[in-house]
Amino acid sequence: MTRTAIRSAFQTVGALLAEGVRHLEEALASDPGATPELDAQLLLAHALRISRTCVYSHPEQPAHEPAAQRFRALIARRAAGVPVAYLLERKAFWTLELAVSSAVLVPRPETELLVERALALRPEACASAVDLGTGSGAIALALAHERPGWRVSATDISSEALSVARANAIALGLERVNFAQGSWFAALPACRFDLVVSNPPYVAATDVALAALVHEPRRALTPGPDALACLREIIGDAPRFLAAGGWLLLEHGAEQGPQVAGALTARGFVTVRTHRDLAGHERVTEGQWPAIR
Ligand code: GLN
């Protein structure tokens, strides 16, 4: 055994954690939203196959070499900017625990506002909803979980994303959600829904924010130079898929509320409203397809 091997064979959980935190603090120094301590705890718990509580309540425990190596490999990938969710292969969304891979956008907490609004607009036990560009299935599965009587569909252009979403549906006992492959509404037969919800790509291809998101599917983040292209396409087609009195709910960028609201009004939607997320950013705009026109 080399000296290094002997030394690391007796490394404690606490020492390993401190090493990981130091590494991440340095590597992620330019990211104001970085959480090196939390990330290192989560990754160490994952590598050691113990709970995060155990990581910080038993720092004196020995960490054996294979686990330490797994941890260092995870820390190196995190230091390179890979989201923690991809490293853990899991992300909590709403009340659900979802499997995620790099084929899907990491579900964001602000997207829970879309779920909240959809549920508030349709308190009925029976309704139909479709989630366009479902990715991991987050929105569709949260709605199906909350409303066992709803008919829920979800579409995505990516077959890899749909595999992730379908696996999540099975794992959560929500097999009744109907998944279809295709671009937005093109995946669907002619039918009408009470709710159409979507978190489409809305970051302009030129936006510097994309640099920090290189590990996520580009197609899920940006429609190209026109940040509003997908939002406009969905607004344009939605009336053909909405029941009278049905609602379209869209997630969008913090600065896009007025434009999305304007496009909805111009298309003939009524009761158009924009809602702020927990960070205070305008994030979701909804509009109702009028019952009588
Ligand atoms: N909310 C994501 C972000 O800015 C973007 C998601 C999207 O384009 N739909 O990180």
Side-chain angles (χ1 to χ4, degrees), residues 93-94 109-122 139 142-143 147 249 275-276 278 284 286:
F93 179 83
W94 196 249
E110 56 267 32
T111 303
E112 292 176 353
L113 177 59
L114 205 57
V115 176
E116 209 177 291
R117 288 305 308 155
L119 296 172
L121 290 171
R122 281 281 160 176
I139 300 169
L143 293 178
R147 297 280 195 266
L249 294 94
H275 300 274
R276 289 178 190 272
L278 291 175
V284 168
E286 66 202 20

Side-chain angles (χ1 to χ4, degrees), residues 105-106 108 110-111 198-203 209-210 213 216 218-223 251-253 283:
L105 199 72
V106 175
R108 311 285 206 263
E110 56 267 32
T111 303
S198 184
N199 171 21
Y202 55 70
V203 183
L210 278 183
L213 305 170
E216 294 185 86
R218 195 178 159 83
R219 184 156 69 165
L221 288 163
T222 179
E251 180 173 327
H252 52 72
R283 185 61 61 197

Side-chain angles (χ1 to χ4, degrees), residues 78-252:
R78 180 67 197 113
V82 178
V84 174
Y86 289 162
L87 299 173
L88 303 178
E89 299 173 46
R90 319 229 30 102
K91 179 73 186 178
F93 179 83
W94 196 249
T95 58
L96 310 176
E97 179 82 9
L98 299 169
V100 293
S101 78
S102 58
V104 299
L105 199 72
V106 175
R108 311 285 206 263
E110 56 267 32
T111 303
E112 292 176 353
L113 177 59
L114 205 57
V115 176
E116 209 177 291
R117 288 305 308 155
L119 296 172
L121 290 171
R122 281 281 160 176
E124 295 89 341
C126 280
S128 56
V130 61
D131 172 18
L132 306 175
T134 195
S136 62
I139 300 169
L141 295 171
L143 293 178
H145 176 77
E146 290 297 323
R147 297 280 195 266
W150 283 14
R151 181 169 62 78
V152 179
S153 300
T155 75
D156 207 289
I157 199 165
S158 156
S159 57
E160 290 88 354
L162 283 179
S163 303
V164 173
R166 282 197 181 99
N168 276 321
I170 292 167
L172 294 166
L174 297 168
E175 293 91 341
R176 73 175 206 282
V177 175
N178 168 53
F179 293 98
Q181 190 185 353
S183 174
W184 314 128
F185 293 105
L188 300 168
C191 57
R192 294 192 181 262
F193 296 89
D194 299 312
L195 288 165
V196 173
V197 300
S198 184
N199 171 21
Y202 55 70
V203 183
T206 47
D207 195 322
V208 289
L210 278 183
L213 305 170
V214 286
H215 296 276
E216 294 185 86
R218 195 178 159 83
R219 184 156 69 165
L221 288 163
T222 179
D226 176 9
L228 295 168
C230 296
L231 287 159
R232 283 204 199 91
E233 186 182 336
I234 293 169
I235 293 169
D237 291 342
R240 280 193 293 123
F241 291 88
L242 276 169
W247 291 88
L248 172 60
L249 294 94
L250 297 165
E251 180 173 327
H252 52 72

Side-chain angles (χ1 to χ4, degrees), residues 247-288:
W247 291 88
L248 172 60
L249 294 94
L250 297 165
E251 180 173 327
H252 52 72
E255 315 294 329
Q256 296 167 346
Q259 286 155 294
V260 174
L264 283 164
T265 307
R267 185 72 180 87
F269 282 85
V270 295
T271 326
V272 174
R273 292 179 290 223
T274 299
H275 300 274
R276 289 178 190 272
D277 63 20
L278 291 175
H281 298 130
E282 291 195 341
R283 185 61 61 197
V284 168
T285 297
E286 66 202 20
Q288 187 173 30

